């Protein structure tokens, strides 16, 4: 099947799509309601495959999250219904990071465990498939701009581990499905529309129906970072994923705008490679870090910063405005300094920018202390509004208030 060209009603061109959507953002609400669920092919991401007996042990010592989970028995959220095209055991994806030995960010990965043949019915539907070797395999959705160096770094750590690391970017593609209220009413780890269709008259809680698309059982899963980000999945490159209508496929820049509004950075460009401190980029709150697992590369800084309990800088959503409060587009570049217009002190730096929206790593005592006096250094006509995301845990703000009071 060939991928259909996008044809959203509001779309006259790619540029028009994301410029128009940017104009409709507000401080506390997103404005994607009128277009409903959308899906984007993530050309900024590639797929790497890990397979072999030592796969979990190898990744467990390198990544910030507990990869050992993929070896555990399925939990309550896992379906036990068997159908020909989707496994009855279905692990949710995991978000994890790879760090430098000094605890600075290098790469982010979304890990998926494809179903083994023995976890699905065979083509006849009469019993489980054949899985003679039973080797664990994991697929990783990674930043395409750093794919070669990521593979080189993993292979450097491989040594004698019995694990094969492969670039399978030609075989698989990464997709995101998102939109206002798409996931808020559903607790299932999988796509609710797919879960409403099942074999016979029953409802299939894991979405194990033909709406998943093909005999391999590729599925949409809730984004492991935040429910409000929508659904994410890896699918064969020669097909369009299930539930992606021709008029709902849209440019990846709309997904970027969706993330900017939520205050979520992704990849080694937005999260500065070799420099970013993961806790300052809110990655613990995005389920990327386990504080209960054993040692991994860069753990010392993460643990020390976490237990110290005070994060004075954090990544925040930004809105760029003129003197009258109207949104300004195409005015700010990543790397621009944000300053307090009254004191002249530097408050932080813009890390990502698209049209009138952005992300910035800012000192909380400047960003959250009241009516905004922030501006862009050298562009005093651009006012900066920093927004506290709704998903932030209450304790983060309490830590900031306590730190401010003690100061």
């Amino acid at each position: 099947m060939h991928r259909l060209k996008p044809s959203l009603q509001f779309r006259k061109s790619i540029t028009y799509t994301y410029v128009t959507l940017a104009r409709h953002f507000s401080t506390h609400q997103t404005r994607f309601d009128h277009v409903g669920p959308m899906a984007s092919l993530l050309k900024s991401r590639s797929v790497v495959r890990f397979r072999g007996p030592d796969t979990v042990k190898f990744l467990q010592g390198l990544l910030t999250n507990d990869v050992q989970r993929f070896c555990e028995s399925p939990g309550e959220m896992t379906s036990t219904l068997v159908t020909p095209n989707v496994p009855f055991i279905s692990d949710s994806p995991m978000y994890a990071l790879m760090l430098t030995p000094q605890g600075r960010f290098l790469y982010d990965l979304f890990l998926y465990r494809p179903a083994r043949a023995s976890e699905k019915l065979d083509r006849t539907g009469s019993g489980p498939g054949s899985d003679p070797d039973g080797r664990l395999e994991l697929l990783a959705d990674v930043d395409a701009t750093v794919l070669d160096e990521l593979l080189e770094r993993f292979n450097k750590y491989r040594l004698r581990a019995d694990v094969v690391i492969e670039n399978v970017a030609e075989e698989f593609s990464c997709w995101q499905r998102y939109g206002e209220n798409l996931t808020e009413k559903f607790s299932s780890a999988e796509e609710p529309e797919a879960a409403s269709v099942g074999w016979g008259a029953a409802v299939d809680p894991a979405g194990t129906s033909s709406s998943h698309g093909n005999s391999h059982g590729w599925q949409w899963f809730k984004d492991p970072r935040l429910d409000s980000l929508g659904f994410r999945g890896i699918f064969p490159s020669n097909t369009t994923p299930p539930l992606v209508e021709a008029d709902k496929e849209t440019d990846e820049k709309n997904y970027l705008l969706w993330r900017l509004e939520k205050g979520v950075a992704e990849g080694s460009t937005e999260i500065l490679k070799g420099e970013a401190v993961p806790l300052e980029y809110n990655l613990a709150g995005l389920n990327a870090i386990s504080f209960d697992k054993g040692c991994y590369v860069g753990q010392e800084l993460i643990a020390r910063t976490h237990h110290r309990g005070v994060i004075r800088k954090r990544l925040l959503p930004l809105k760029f405005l003129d003197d009258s409060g109207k949104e300004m587009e195409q005015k700010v570049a990543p790397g621009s300094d944000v300053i307090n217009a009254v004191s002249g002190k530097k408050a932080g730096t813009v890390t990502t920018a698209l049209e009138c929206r952005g992300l910035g790593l800012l000192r909380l005592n400047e960003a959250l202390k009241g009516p905004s006096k922030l501006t862009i250094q050298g562009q005093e006509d651009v006012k900066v509004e920093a927004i506290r995301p709704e998903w932030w845990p209450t304790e983060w703000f309490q830590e900031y208030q306590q730190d401010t009071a003690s100061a």
Side-chain angles (χ1 to χ4, degrees):
M1 184 188 299
H2 295 286
R3 186 171 294 120
L4 298 174
K5 296 291 185 182
S7 58
L8 285 170
Q9 294 179 11
F10 56 86
R11 181 183 182 132
K12 294 184 179 177
S13 69
I14 289 176
T15 303
Y16 176 80
T17 300
Y18 63 84
V19 170
T20 301
L21 290 173
R23 288 172 181 158
H24 290 289
F25 278 113
S26 66
T27 305
H28 300 295
Q29 295 179 336
T30 179
R31 299 292 184 178
F32 282 98
D33 329 4
H34 62 293
V35 296
M38 298 176 288
S40 296
L41 169 64
L42 305 183
K43 297 179 181 179
S44 63
R45 308 293 292 187
S46 288
V47 181
V48 172
R49 178 164 56 204
F50 301 89
R51 57 181 174 179
D54 294 339
T55 293
V56 168
K57 180 181 178 182
F58 171 70
L59 293 175
Q60 184 77 347
L62 293 176
L63 303 183
T64 57
N65 220 329
D66 192 357
V67 186
Q68 194 70 31
R69 191 198 77 189
F70 288 112
C71 294
E72 297 173 354
S73 299
E76 294 180 2
M77 296 299 294
T78 301
S79 170
T80 55
L81 298 179
V82 183
T83 63
N85 62 334
V86 176
F88 64 89
I89 294 177
S90 179
D91 283 313
S92 299
M94 174 184 294
Y95 187 51
L97 316 173
M98 188 174 185
L99 310 178
T100 67
Q102 295 75 34
R104 305 288 175 165
F105 174 89
L106 281 175
Y107 318 114
D108 62 350
L109 305 88
F110 295 83
L111 295 173
Y112 299 78
R113 184 178 76 81
R116 298 169 180 170
S118 60
E119 296 170 351
K120 300 186 292 181
L121 291 179
D122 60 19
R123 292 188 178 184
T124 68
S126 60
S130 174
D131 192 12
D133 56 16
R135 292 192 303 171
L136 179 68
E137 176 181 310
L138 294 177
L139 294 177
D141 157 354
V142 303
D143 187 338
T145 64
V146 293
L147 176 60
D148 291 340
E149 67 173 77
L150 178 146
L151 289 169
E152 182 180 352
R153 188 173 292 266
F154 272 115
N155 277 302
K156 182 181 74 172
Y157 281 111
R158 188 171 63 87
L159 301 176
R160 296 182 181 179
D162 190 357
V163 55
V164 178
I165 307 166
E166 302 171 282
N167 174 4
V168 290
E170 294 297 320
E171 298 177 45
F172 300 103
S173 298
C174 306
W175 287 75
Q176 190 87 14
R177 191 167 183 262
Y178 53 101
E180 192 67 25
N181 300 319
L182 181 61
T183 61
E184 291 176 359
K185 297 179 181 179
F186 299 93
S187 60
S188 170
E190 289 133 347
E191 164 58 60
E193 288 186 37
S196 67
V197 184
W199 246 8
V203 173
D204 181 347
T208 56
S209 72
S210 59
S211 58
H212 279 296
N214 58 54
S215 61
H216 298 290
W218 303 103
Q219 297 173 258
W220 288 106
F221 290 96
K222 275 189 177 181
D223 193 302
R225 298 167 295 179
L226 294 174
D227 285 356
S228 60
L229 287 174
F231 292 85
R232 199 174 183 105
I234 291 176
F235 299 91
S237 294
N238 61 349
T239 65
T240 298
L243 303 174
V244 177
E245 301 171 15
D247 62 342
K248 298 300 182 184
E249 183 181 340
T250 185
D251 193 272
E252 185 179 353
K253 286 189 172 65
N254 284 324
Y255 168 58
L256 172 55
L257 284 171
W258 183 253
R259 284 194 293 102
L260 296 185
E261 196 272 339
K262 307 293 182 188
V264 177
E266 182 176 299
S268 300
T269 301
E270 296 177 30
I271 310 172
L272 299 180
K273 182 166 64 73
E275 299 180 23
V277 176
L279 299 188
E280 292 182 345
Y281 279 70
N282 307 324
L283 294 170
L286 296 172
N287 301 314
I289 301 170
S290 170
F291 294 103
D292 300 320
K293 64 172 286 185
C295 296
Y296 57 86
V297 175
Q299 182 191 33
E300 185 179 349
L301 175 67
I302 299 298
R304 185 171 66 246
T305 307
H306 172 68
H307 293 298
R308 189 178 63 192
V310 178
I311 310 294
R312 293 186 171 87
K313 292 189 296 182
R314 285 195 181 273
L315 192 73
L316 288 158
L318 304 178
K319 185 185 289 187
F320 307 121
L321 310 169
D322 63 16
D323 289 328
S324 64
K326 293 182 179 179
E327 296 169 343
M328 300 184 72
E329 298 176 356
Q330 299 179 342
K331 287 289 187 179
V332 180
S336 300
D337 287 337
V338 179
I339 62 171
N340 184 309
V342 177
S343 66
K345 292 182 179 180
K346 181 178 176 179
T349 304
V350 176
T351 61
T352 308
L354 179 63
E355 304 307 329
C356 62
R357 281 282 177 167
L359 296 173
L361 186 64
L362 304 182
R363 297 206 320 271
L364 295 179
N365 62 351
E366 292 288 349
L368 302 178
K369 66 180 180 182
S372 179
K373 300 294 184 182
L374 303 178
T375 187
I376 300 296
Q377 187 170 32
Q379 294 178 269
E380 282 69 23
D381 59 323
V382 180
K383 309 304 177 188
V384 179
E385 181 181 350
I387 304 163
R388 177 189 168 195
E390 293 181 358
W391 62 267
W392 274 23
T394 305
E395 54 264 30
W396 287 3
F397 197 62
Q398 291 174 340
E399 290 170 3
Y400 153 71
Q401 290 176 316
Q402 292 169 1
D403 185 52
T404 302
S406 62

